[in-house]
Amino acid sequence: VTLQLSATARTGYRGVAVSSESRKLPFVASYQVGSKRTHLGHFGTPVEAALAYARARPDAVVKREEEEESRADASQAEADAKDSDSDDGGCFDQPVN
């Protein structure tokens, strides 16, 4: 089982959020397939919630996440290519004293 890290989630894990419903169990795990959200429970730590998410997420969620990651990688590669095309050499075209 691999925990799914997230650069954008406040908890650091995909499928894990902070809930204000419980002080003892402040982390909630869930996943969504289409319009149906499946609640996996409340947990004491983000790692426990991430583990529940990693164990429970169905193939449809895995496939969607891989597609999202692939699109993000392609967008980043395109942005990097544009940056390198427009690079005029920076400080290398300045005379050295």
Side-chain angles (χ1 to χ4, degrees), residues 1 3 5 12-13 22 28 32 34 47 52 55 62 69 77 79 81 89-90 92-94:
V1 176
L3 301 184
L5 299 177
Y13 296 99
S22 172
V28 62
Q32 185 170 338
V47 173
R55 287 179 174 160
V62 173
E69 186 175 310
F92 295 109
D93 59 354
Q94 300 297 322

Side-chain angles (χ1 to χ4, degrees), residues 4 6 15 37 43 52 78:
Q4 302 296 304
S6 171
R37 176 166 297 279
F43 301 87
E78 186 177 309

Side-chain angles (χ1 to χ4, degrees), residues 53-97:
Y53 174 82
R55 287 179 174 160
R57 65 194 183 116
D59 291 339
V61 174
V62 173
K63 183 177 178 183
R64 186 191 74 226
E65 289 170 352
E66 289 172 350
E67 290 170 354
E68 289 172 357
E69 186 175 310
S70 178
R71 282 194 298 273
D73 289 346
S75 294
Q76 184 61 50
E78 186 177 309
D80 291 346
K82 285 181 182 178
D83 287 345
S84 67
D85 289 345
S86 65
D87 189 4
D88 62 2
C91 65
F92 295 109
D93 59 354
Q94 300 297 322
V96 177
N97 293 336

